[in-house]
């Protein structure tokens, strides 16, 4: 049985292209019917803002993994100086059902979110081929920071400017030193919304605030799912979802668009449509792309499985060399 936490994940390293490649492989396996992912279950009690979500999944093909993600989102934790999200994953041997790994890592949750956004960004770049990218990120928590890191890695010199905004003042020292020359901090979300051709919302906003039409041709990475007034995007951007049944519920922007504007599943494209069938090529270049990823357990299980496999391989090497493994459980 392998036990991993955030420290182990950092020791094994963050390779964005590897992570995005895993997500792409899972999208293709899922599209051909090699995955099982029941609609996630929400547990609520007491303060109804809080939820703990169960996400069982099986990933076939080269992965052959089963497991469950059990992730809690408690917005009030921020005021307690505690993480808003807490994540645990159990992996099972797909042949026997025997548990093989337990991973308690909120970092892994953020890596999956940013890797899924990275796959969408990669497809957008291939379809639209912008000469440069002006990135805007609203929300400077762990998810926002990982999105900046991922975008900087994926874009390289094409990242001309990145502008950040958060309701809480952003300490410039929290921006990675190697990115400070291209990063600005705004006083209002509108500053970066109007100036960005890639715009990511990574907030825990209690109210929708985006009330203006997006810039022509922009990619909207709606990671937090509840930031856009329906009128700001309906008929003005092409909706893309990871899974319609998952995302058209729980007060998401897609559910609001469905209820208020009549948006239907047929009106949207899926991530599989984009990856497997080049769906963005059929979208006019001036039309913004509105990506809404609810988060699928198949991605978490595959990424967790990759880290668990590499941890086991590293542990085997260390034992063979008579060394004390850095991957040993720590208190």
């Amino acid at each position: 049985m392998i036990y991993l936490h955030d420290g182990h994940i950092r020791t094994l390293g963050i390779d964005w292209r590897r992570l995005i490649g895993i997500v792409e492989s899972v999208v293709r396996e899922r599209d051909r019917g090699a995955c099982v992912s029941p609609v996630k279950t929400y547990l609520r009690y007491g303060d109804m803002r809080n939820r703990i979500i169960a996400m069982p999944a099986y990933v076939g093909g080269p992965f052959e993994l089963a497991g469950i993600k059990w992730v809690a989102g408690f917005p009030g934790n921020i005021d307690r100086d505690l993480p808003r999200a807490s994540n645990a994953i159990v992996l099972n041997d797909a042949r026997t059902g025997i548990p093989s790994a337990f991973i308690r890592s909120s970092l892994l949750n953020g890596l999956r979110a940013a890797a899924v956004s990275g796959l969408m960004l990669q497809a957008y770049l291939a379809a639209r081929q912008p000469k440069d990218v002006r990135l805007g990120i609203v929300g400077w928590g762990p998810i926002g920071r990982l999105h900046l890191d991922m975008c900087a890695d994926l874009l390289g010199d094409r990242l001309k400017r990145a502008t950040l905004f958060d309701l809480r003042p952003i300490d410039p020292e929290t921006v990675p030193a190697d990115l400070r020359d291209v990063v600005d901090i705004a006083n209002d979300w509108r500053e970066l919304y109007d100036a960005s051709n890639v715009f990511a919302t990574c907030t825990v906003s209690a109210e929708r605030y985006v009330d203006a039409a997006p810039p022509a041709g922009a990619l909207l990475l709606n990671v937090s799912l509840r930031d856009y007034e329906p009128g700001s995007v309906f008929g003005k951007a092409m909706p893309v979802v990871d899974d319609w049944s998952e995302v058209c519920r729980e007060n998401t922007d897609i559910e609001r668009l469905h209820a208020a504007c009549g948006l239907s599943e047929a009106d949207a494209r899926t991530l599989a449509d984009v990856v497997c069938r080049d769906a963005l090529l059929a979208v006019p270049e001036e039309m913004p792309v509105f990506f809404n990823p609810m988060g699928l357990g198949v991605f978490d299980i595959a990424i967790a499985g990759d880290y668990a496999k590499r941890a086991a391989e590293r542990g085997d090497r260390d034992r063979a060399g008579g060394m004390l493994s850095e991957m040993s459980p720590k208190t």
Side-chain angles (χ1 to χ4, degrees), residues 131-146:
K131 292 181 180 179
D132 55 56
V133 170
R134 302 173 307 282
L135 174 67
I137 298 177
V138 178
W140 190 235
I143 303 296
R145 298 180 195 203
L146 288 170

Side-chain angles (χ1 to χ4, degrees), residues 16-153:
W16 287 113
R17 293 170 195 274
R18 181 187 184 101
L19 293 169
I20 292 168
I22 291 170
V23 173
E24 180 177 357
S25 295
V26 173
V27 169
R28 294 186 184 279
E29 291 300 328
R30 189 170 185 264
D31 190 59
R32 71 180 188 86
C35 298
V36 179
S37 51
V39 175
K40 62 183 71 171
T41 298
Y42 287 71
L43 174 65
R44 287 191 172 90
Y45 54 89
D47 185 341
M48 299 308 287
R49 296 178 304 163
N50 302 333
R51 71 275 179 101
I52 310 179
I53 308 171
M55 300 165 61
Y58 162 75
V59 189
F63 298 96
E64 276 302 310
L65 288 167
I68 188 167
K69 175 180 178 179
W70 182 236
V71 59
F74 280 54
N77 279 359
I78 294 173
D79 297 325
R80 302 184 185 102
D81 200 26
L82 293 170
R84 182 191 67 83
S86 302
N87 180 46
I89 294 175
V90 176
L91 297 178
N92 300 75
D93 185 303
R95 296 165 301 170
T96 66
I98 295 173
S100 59
F102 179 85
I103 303 170
R104 184 191 173 199
S105 173
S106 293
L107 174 58
L108 207 63
N109 186 57
L111 294 180
R112 183 268 307 154
V116 172
S117 292
L119 181 59
M120 187 69 220
L121 174 59
Q122 192 170 266
Y124 171 83
L125 295 173
R128 300 284 172 90
Q129 299 186 359
K131 292 181 180 179
D132 55 56
V133 170
R134 302 173 307 282
L135 174 67
I137 298 177
V138 178
W140 190 235
I143 303 296
R145 298 180 195 203
L146 288 170
H147 271 73
L148 176 61
D149 189 63
M150 176 276 294
C151 288
D153 184 84

